[in-house]
Amino acid sequence: MKSRTFPKHVAWSEACMNGDHALAFVAIKQDAPEAEAAFHLVYEGSHFPRLSEACAAAEDALSKLVRIDEFDTPVFSSTSC
């Protein structure tokens, strides 16, 4: 899991198994102590056969994260994320 900090937010890569395939996410949390993390599915429609592949995809998406908008939504440099 890799992480990056943004103004008022922290973001990190996350992956998990979902049955016979893995999914990739970028998680975002405000810097407020009571804030909860929001998980954003990346490369929607892609199912990775191995958890390690989903982890790599999540890290790739995290590297393309440009900013977090006023609605706490990630803005990526690529539309494929």
Side-chain angles (χ1 to χ4, degrees):
M1 173 181 85
K2 292 187 178 182
S3 66
R4 293 180 57 197
T5 55
F6 292 87
K8 302 181 184 178
H9 295 87
V10 63
W12 65 93
S13 57
E14 190 78 39
C16 69
M17 292 301 296
N18 184 25
D20 63 347
H21 61 276
L23 300 172
F25 298 89
V26 167
I28 296 173
K29 183 178 177 293
Q30 289 184 348
D31 285 338
E34 69 280 353
E36 293 186 22
F39 291 82
H40 301 271
L41 182 64
V42 292
Y43 301 111
E44 193 169 350
S46 296
H47 298 134
F48 303 96
R50 291 186 215 103
L51 186 59
S52 61
E53 292 175 6
C55 287
E59 290 175 4
D60 180 64
L62 181 64
S63 73
K64 294 177 181 172
L65 183 56
V66 176
R67 65 182 175 89
I68 300 167
D69 72 11
E70 63 273 11
F71 304 106
D72 297 332
T73 303
V75 177
F76 297 97
S77 63
S78 171
T79 57
S80 66
C81 294

